Amino acid sequence: MGFFRSRKPKADDRWASGAFAETSGDGGIGETSLTVAVRSRPLLPDERRRGDRRDIVRVLDDKHIVVLDPDDEKNYLDERTHRTKERRYTFDKAFGSSASNRDVYQKTARALISGVLNGQNGTVFAYGATGSGKTYTMIGTRNDPGMMPLSLMDIFDAIRSMSGEYTFEVTCSYLEVYNELIYDLLVNNSPSLDLREDPERGATVPGLRRISVTNADNVLDVLREGNARRKTEPTEANAVSSRSHAVMEINVRRFSRVLTGRLSLVDLAGSERASETKNEGSKLRDGANINRSLLALANCINALGKKQQGAGVYVPFRNSKLTRLLKDGLVGNSRTAMVANVSCGNDQYNHTINTLKYADRAKEIKTNVRTNVVHVATHPGEAQRVIEQLQDEVAGLKRELKAARSGAPISNPSAIDDAGVRTEDVFDDRWLEKLSVDVHENTEERINLQRALFELEDVAIQSRCELASVEDRLVELEMTGAAQIPGSRDKSEAESLRDRRRRLADGLREGENAARRDRAAMDANEGKRREIQSRIDRAAEARESRNGGKLPAFLRILSQYRTRGVSSMEAHFQLAVRDGVLADQRDVIGCMWRMLAAAGVSRERAVEAAKREGV
Ligand code: ADP
Ligand code: MG
């Protein structure tokens, strides 16, 4: 869900969009850019009081962030191998715990405002795990108002300065997407609302309250009230609204020549995997849905990147409510900023690294779209060396090719044939560019789908385990007969267990459907992969029959380069999964030892017992 990509490759350096965040924001109509910022929140007073929490995040200047190794003491193996978990990342902007919401705003959302007053759209996302500060960043407090009120204040300031020329009308709405249902956050007990496609206005939510605002004074209260209406789970108080996405939309209509700009400010649901929260019952299902929405969002932004290359690309907006709603803010002349939130505590290390990896990929992809080479997210050592070597070779051969070409002009250099059969222009830069982009998209989609399937499987396993224990307990209650006595505690327990059983079964069924859809998408993806491969093969053959020798070698390298790149990305994914599994196992084993110790069983006795049992 984090593979965001900017839509238009820029010709200048990788900070192009970072610099753009600081400009007035009204240049470059028709192109889009994604600013990626990261923000680390401070330890809260409660966390500081606990002796075991340490701040492990350091922001070096305004771009570099370091996450220190969270382990106080190393285990023997790590110490011997000098393994450290310290990680460094670079972003368009990085904010440490002393940064105010205004600091963050100045470098992210602010750049979007002038566009909105000129009839363009913009979208600001707060991304990150539950408790990392997304809502704080978006809404904020009276002393430190967040992106939502600050945007509105700036809009009104700008309106005042332009009031001689134009009149404006500003309206706001605030809604929530929870479990793929839409609720109005500006009214009490909102029923779930429909999402309709209006041919002129795009996605609309009939019945959604839209308030007219004339200044930014009361908006903080309104937002806070709205936020309090977000869906929460009564069983886990600290997971407040972590499973819902909240979208504030500010509409600005400018009269004389009527223009409407729209700014969407999105407080996303927690990015942690469903299995990482203490989810039970219906929350498991929510977890799967939330991640689907985040995934859908990433897929759309990536596809939009591809669209800018001129190809008729399908952007899967329809895959989730969130993406349908945000569609207009993501296409055409719109701009996007993402604030990735992390908390600085050592206990949050895994969440922090996951969030930074996602945000990092956003930035990396942006760079690589520009350079038009197949991008590999993180190269595990060997693969990286090979890729770099191949990159050099490819560049060298490209140069040779150019030189060879200048002697013999190509009959129709601009024509592009997907199948690559038109051999005259096989090595046309645009042909290569399209090939690179296709390969990249294809691989990334595959990884996203793998991830989604993995997630669904995880959730299903948990649901099945819980279902089994629910069944066991029900049988137990029914055996004693106590569950038959009206008004008894056992009877009410049995009722709630039956309810839980039904919800778990629903969740499992839904998960199976989703997995079926993902597997179909995976098949389509594999079809596309084969098509790309045959494009390369056919081009190679065609060349071979004409020239023999040298040029097919070039294509072979290209093909090899592609394969290496893909396997490296996949290796990276597998490594990430394996790391997660290992970390989980380590935790479980740690817990087991602690439990045994608490029960008065020594390590030796436990080992002995395990041997006897053949474990
Ligand atoms: P999320 O919406 O990501 O789940 P919240 O925004 O609710 O997280 O933040 C969790 C807690 O941390 C809240 O108590 C919030 O007030 C506090 N917090 C978050 N960011 C900051 C910050 N930059 N400065 C001070 N407190 C913060
Ligand atoms: Mg929140």
Side-chain angles (χ1 to χ4, degrees):
M1 56 212 84
F3 308 100
F4 296 90
R5 155 183 296 175
S6 70
R7 264 171 270 160
K8 176 99 176 193
K10 290 219 173 181
D12 48 10
D13 77 282
R14 69 189 296 166
W15 301 117
S17 65
F20 140 74
E22 286 156 78
T23 64
S24 69
D26 51 9
I29 290 176
E31 67 180 49
T32 316
S33 198
L34 172 70
T35 302
V36 184
V38 60
R39 174 190 208 178
S40 170
R41 79 152 166 82
L43 285 179
L44 305 178
D46 261 3
E47 292 172 325
R48 233 175 293 128
R49 266 194 291 281
R50 297 177 52 129
D52 58 344
R53 296 289 157 85
R54 286 177 295 121
D55 176 348
I56 58 161
V57 177
R58 302 283 179 274
V59 171
L60 296 187
D61 45 43
D62 64 349
K63 289 184 175 30
H64 304 284
I65 185 165
V66 181
V67 185
L68 303 176
D69 194 323
D71 300 337
D72 295 324
E73 39 188 280
K74 294 257 156 238
N75 67 32
Y76 180 73
L77 194 64
D78 286 350
E79 207 163 287
R80 296 295 302 201
T81 53
H82 304 293
R83 247 173 70 117
T84 171
K85 290 177 163 178
E86 182 176 307
R87 296 286 179 270
R88 279 160 190 263
Y89 295 91
T90 308
F91 294 98
D92 290 346
K93 282 283 164 226
F95 300 96
S97 37
S98 61
S100 67
N101 275 330
R102 190 169 282 281
D103 297 334
V104 177
Y105 173 80
Q106 297 284 0
K107 305 291 185 196
T108 56
R110 181 167 171 264
L112 278 54
I113 301 297
S114 67
V116 171
L117 290 162
N118 286 301
Q120 298 174 35
N121 296 330
T123 310
V124 183
F125 293 105
Y127 177 87
T130 298
S132 60
K134 296 182 295 298
T135 303
Y136 186 94
T137 301
M138 291 319 255
I139 300 183
T141 61
R142 197 155 300 286
N143 290 329
D144 191 16
M147 306 301 114
M148 293 174 176
L150 287 175
S151 302
L152 209 52
M153 283 179 214
D154 249 14
I155 285 172
F156 282 110
D157 276 352
I159 285 178
R160 261 192 297 281
S161 72
M162 292 164 85
S163 62
E165 301 161 75
Y166 306 103
T167 52
F168 289 90
E169 181 190 85
V170 182
T171 57
C172 288
S173 65
Y174 193 33
L175 63 78
E176 157 184 69
V177 181
Y178 176 77
N179 211 6
E180 289 300 295
L181 293 172
I182 296 175
Y183 299 94
D184 195 338
L185 289 176
L186 292 181
V187 302
N188 283 327
N189 305 320
S190 156
S192 83
L193 300 172
D194 279 347
L195 181 61
R196 294 214 192 112
E197 299 298 335
D198 181 296
E200 266 167 34
R201 288 180 298 159
T204 59
V205 182
L208 183 69
R209 184 151 179 229
R210 201 162 261 298
I211 50 174
S212 169
V213 255
T214 47
N215 60 58
D217 287 350
N218 299 324
V219 74
L220 194 61
D221 293 330
V222 173
L223 288 170
R224 277 205 182 142
E225 263 171 50
N227 206 51
R229 293 187 186 105
R230 287 175 74 176
K231 299 285 173 296
T232 60
E233 276 293 325
T235 49
E236 205 183 323
N238 64 350
V240 174
S241 55
S242 68
R243 309 275 92 201
S244 87
H245 310 278
V247 184
M248 178 201 192
E249 193 186 288
I250 305 175
N251 260 267
V252 182
R253 260 158 81 82
R254 192 177 96 179
F255 296 95
S256 78
R257 187 161 64 95
V258 177
L259 288 173
T260 307
R262 183 197 283 190
L263 181 65
S264 301
L265 297 127
V266 191
D267 184 356
L268 290 168
S271 58
E272 63 276 4
R273 286 173 38 205
S275 53
E276 287 170 333
T277 50
K278 288 177 233 73
N279 280 346
E280 290 175 353
S282 67
K283 277 172 72 193
L284 274 174
R285 200 170 38 180
D286 304 343
N289 264 326
I290 265 118
N291 285 307
R292 289 193 73 73
S293 285
L294 285 174
L295 200 65
L297 182 65
N299 282 338
C300 287
I301 293 179
N302 280 346
L304 283 165
K306 197 171 166 191
K307 204 167 186 152
Q308 285 285 329
Q309 315 270 329
V313 177
Y314 169 67
V315 184
F317 283 115
R318 295 205 64 83
N319 285 2
S320 80
K321 288 270 165 63
L322 188 67
T323 46
R324 283 174 66 191
L325 271 170
L326 297 178
K327 185 175 170 211
D328 286 350
L330 295 172
V331 295
N333 53 6
S334 65
R335 295 220 164 96
T336 309
M338 177 172 95
V339 182
N341 293 275
V342 301
S343 9
C344 68
N346 50 334
D347 59 315
Q348 296 293 310
Y349 177 84
N350 286 341
H351 287 322
T352 299
I353 293 298
N354 279 337
T355 301
L356 293 178
K357 272 189 194 159
Y358 284 136
D360 191 52
R361 215 172 288 230
K363 180 201 79 189
E364 289 295 327
I365 288 166
K366 182 163 57 192
T367 316
N368 280 278
V369 172
R370 174 178 62 75
T371 51
N372 292 320
V373 290
V374 177
H375 167 63
V376 181
T378 308
H379 326 283
E382 174 61 3
Q384 166 154 23
R385 204 182 48 71
V386 173
I387 287 165
E388 278 167 5
Q389 200 181 330
L390 288 169
Q391 252 167 348
D392 286 348
E393 276 177 67
V394 171
L397 285 161
K398 249 178 150 177
R399 268 196 305 279
E400 274 179 40
L401 184 69
K402 214 169 189 170
R405 248 202 224 147
S406 56
I410 291 158
S411 57
N412 182 12
S414 64
I416 290 182
D417 186 325
D418 256 12
V421 214
R422 195 173 309 187
T423 53
E424 292 83 15
D425 51 4
V426 147
F427 302 109
D428 182 292
D429 281 349
R430 285 177 59 194
W431 186 89
L432 283 177
E433 186 180 313
K434 184 168 184 332
L435 186 68
S436 293
V437 170
D438 285 357
V439 166
H440 185 93
E441 291 293 333
N442 183 253
T443 312
E444 211 160 71
E445 186 187 50
R446 184 154 66 249
I447 288 173
N448 267 349
L449 284 166
Q450 268 173 353
R451 202 186 280 264
L453 279 165
F454 187 72
E455 179 109 358
L456 284 166
E457 201 176 308
D458 233 26
V459 170
I461 289 171
Q462 284 192 35
S463 294
R464 269 190 228 108
C465 282
E466 201 195 336
L467 197 57
S469 69
V470 167
E471 302 269 15
D472 286 352
R473 178 71 187 140
L474 268 173
V475 169
E476 211 177 304
L477 285 172
E478 275 154 16
M479 294 259 281
T480 63
Q484 311 302 332
I485 304 164
S488 73
R489 200 191 301 156
D490 284 351
K491 187 170 165 65
S492 74
E493 187 189 346
E495 271 160 14
S496 84
L497 283 172
R498 274 187 214 106
D499 187 47
R500 172 79 64 87
R501 179 170 64 182
R502 199 175 45 247
R503 291 214 269 164
L504 283 169
D506 284 352
L508 278 167
R509 215 171 19 252
E510 251 177 67
E512 274 161 25
N513 288 336
R516 210 170 297 128
R517 282 197 297 275
D518 286 348
R519 273 192 291 270
M522 195 71 119
D523 287 346
N525 177 283
E526 173 58 19
K528 178 77 183 171
R529 193 194 63 74
R530 278 201 296 268
E531 182 270 313
I532 293 171
Q533 184 62 59
S534 74
R535 214 191 295 171
I536 295 172
D537 294 347
R538 261 181 295 173
E541 270 167 35
R543 273 287 160 180
E544 203 142 20
S545 65
R546 295 167 123 247
N547 296 24
K550 192 161 187 177
L551 290 172
F554 166 62
L555 269 178
R556 265 199 295 280
I557 286 174
L558 183 69
S559 165
Q560 208 182 351
Y561 169 67
R562 182 198 70 90
T563 330
R564 303 271 181 169
V566 170
S567 53
S568 157
M569 270 180 102
E570 285 178 350
H572 176 62
F573 173 72
Q574 307 263 334
L575 278 178
V577 169
R578 208 195 53 192
D579 279 356
V581 172
L582 284 179
D584 286 353
Q585 279 175 356
R586 210 182 266 193
D587 283 353
V588 168
I589 292 170
C591 281
M592 202 187 74
W593 284 122
R594 274 197 297 282
M595 259 163 53
L596 287 173
V601 181
S602 72
R603 226 169 233 252
E604 290 73 30
R605 268 184 59 203
V607 171
E608 239 169 64
K611 270 199 199 123
R612 259 201 318 278
E613 297 294 321
V615 181

